[in-house]
Amino acid sequence: GSSWVSAFLCFIILLTTVGNFLLILLIITQRSLRNTSNYFLVSLFMSDLMVGLVVMPPAMLNQLYGRWVLRGDFCSLWYSFDVMCCSASILNLCVISLDRYLLIISPLKYKLRMTSCRALWLILATWTLAALASFLPIKMGWHELEFEVWSPNVTSRGDEDQCRLVVSLPYALVASCLTFFLPSAAISFTYCRILLAARKQAVQVASLASNVATATTDETAPQVPCVLSQPAAGSESRRFANKHSKKALKASLTLGILLGMFFAAWLPFFVTNVTQAVCGCVPAGFFDVLTWLGYCNSTMNPIIYPLFMRDFKRAMGKYLPCCRRS
């Protein structure tokens, strides 16, 4: 059984690392992708790449051996990177949703508002908040139960070989709110506003198409028989409206998939993390499964986001024949 588990975890690590690295390389090498909006995607893929390179391999060894096999002083350092990289990934998703929201709501003012300098400052603030929620509390011992002085290498009572982060309730609440619950509320709000804006635009386009068709019918009535002109104009307007209705439906499905994957990956972990801080009644094996489920969000991000972005499809079409279209 351990061989199958190790093979599966190695596949997850390889897919996470290769996928995020290739997309970062694609953005850097393709001029069409080097824009302000994709700065945030580079930051997201970088945090997910660090999850695959720094966080997942020690977690796999910890899972397979059932104990911490690396040097003891690496335990607190690894868990600090774990919290920082996963928090940075979630916060980057929040910033990306905010960027998309500004682009949809006011596309004409977007370039004036979201300059390269402001984008870099937002990315810096994202990583700073992630670092402050991880390295500082763990280094200072603020995460420990009742602020007791424990060994920084061992975070589980009665099991000196384990490297598990057992946190106090105040730290669990504050860190979870800053790195998940508040960003999740912001992501849900912005994506819902984007969805409403897309539907509103679809209705406006359909109404405009209907008015144009009516005007065309009135102008051509003296020259073309009314029986022939009205059905043709009506079918054209319906085709135009259906096209934009399908675009709105596609946008709805896309946002539903993005939100669904994000909450399915991280919501169980953070709810269980707070529950563990309250009662300490969560089995270690179950907690590990939820932790890896959260890690898998870093595996899915480089698959989901480019899958629904036309610029990435065009750039990938230069290298992958399966992405090309006639």
Side-chain angles (χ1 to χ4, degrees):
S2 61
S3 61
W4 286 102
V5 173
S6 61
F8 176 74
L9 295 182
C10 285
F11 173 74
I12 293 296
I13 294 173
L14 182 64
L15 186 61
T16 304
T17 305
V18 173
N20 287 284
F21 175 76
L22 290 180
L23 285 178
I24 293 174
L25 189 64
L26 187 68
I27 294 176
I28 294 175
T29 56
Q30 293 296 315
R31 183 178 298 178
S32 60
L33 297 178
R34 291 199 295 265
N35 53 57
T36 305
S37 185
N38 286 340
Y39 289 176
F40 304 113
L41 285 177
V42 172
S43 180
L44 172 66
F45 297 148
M46 184 63 69
S47 62
D48 292 336
L49 179 62
M50 291 182 64
V51 171
L53 288 177
V54 181
V55 178
M56 286 186 177
M60 181 185 69
L61 295 177
N62 210 23
Q63 186 72 31
L64 295 178
Y65 286 94
R67 59 187 180 88
W68 184 250
V69 296
L70 303 177
R71 287 181 54 182
D73 53 354
F74 284 164
C75 178
S76 59
L77 181 63
W78 168 67
Y79 238 113
S80 298
F81 272 103
D82 184 349
V83 177
M84 185 191 73
C85 295
C86 294
S87 301
S89 179
I90 297 173
L91 293 174
N92 279 314
L93 291 174
C94 179
V95 174
I96 289 172
S97 67
L98 176 63
D99 176 71
R100 296 292 184 268
Y101 173 73
L102 294 177
L103 181 61
I104 292 295
I105 297 301
S106 56
L108 298 179
K109 299 180 180 179
Y110 173 78
K111 288 188 177 181
L112 298 176
R113 293 178 177 177
M114 191 59 67
T115 60
S116 299
C117 184
R118 290 180 180 177
L120 293 177
W121 275 110
L122 275 175
I123 293 172
L124 180 61
T126 297
W127 284 93
T128 302
L129 180 59
L132 290 177
S134 55
F135 278 92
L136 181 62
I138 294 176
K139 184 67 176 178
M140 300 298 293
W142 298 343
H143 67 289
E144 297 171 354
L145 295 173
E146 300 177 359
F147 298 97
E148 297 175 358
V149 180
W150 293 359
S151 171
N153 309 329
V154 181
T155 53
S156 177
R157 293 176 186 248
D159 192 352
E160 297 296 321
D161 292 331
Q162 285 290 337
C163 179
R164 296 186 183 279
L165 188 66
V166 181
V167 298
S168 62
L169 182 59
Y171 175 80
L173 290 175
V174 173
S176 299
C177 288
L178 289 178
T179 61
F180 178 73
F181 291 110
L182 291 179
S184 298
I187 291 172
S188 301
F189 172 76
T190 53
Y191 278 161
C192 288
R193 289 296 302 270
I194 291 173
L195 179 59
L196 293 176
R199 290 184 174 179
K200 183 179 179 180
Q201 289 178 1
V203 172
Q204 290 176 349
V205 168
S207 176
L208 180 62
S210 178
N211 293 335
V212 170
T214 303
T216 304
T217 304
D218 294 338
E219 290 178 0
T220 57
Q223 302 174 2
V224 183
C226 184
V227 178
L228 296 178
S229 60
Q230 289 182 353
S235 62
E236 186 67 25
S237 63
R238 283 194 298 270
R239 191 181 303 112
F240 192 66
N242 289 335
K243 178 182 177 181
H244 287 272
S245 298
K246 289 179 180 179
K247 286 186 178 181
L249 178 61
K250 184 180 179 181
S252 305
L253 295 176
T254 301
L255 296 180
I257 292 173
L258 293 177
L259 288 176
M261 290 297 301
F262 172 72
F263 284 109
W266 282 118
L267 184 60
F269 170 80
F270 280 95
V271 171
T272 307
N273 190 37
V274 175
T275 304
Q276 175 71 10
V278 172
C279 64
C281 54
V282 180
F286 179 69
F287 193 82
D288 290 339
V289 171
L290 295 183
T291 302
W292 275 96
L293 182 62
Y295 291 162
C296 287
N297 186 245
S298 298
T299 309
M300 297 304 298
N301 283 335
I303 299 175
I304 293 178
Y305 277 82
L307 189 65
F308 298 105
M309 299 179 70
R310 192 173 300 172
D311 294 340
F312 275 87
K313 290 182 180 180
R314 291 171 181 169
M316 293 171 63
K318 299 178 180 179
Y319 303 102
L320 300 177
C322 61
C323 296
R324 296 175 185 170
R325 291 183 177 181
S326 57

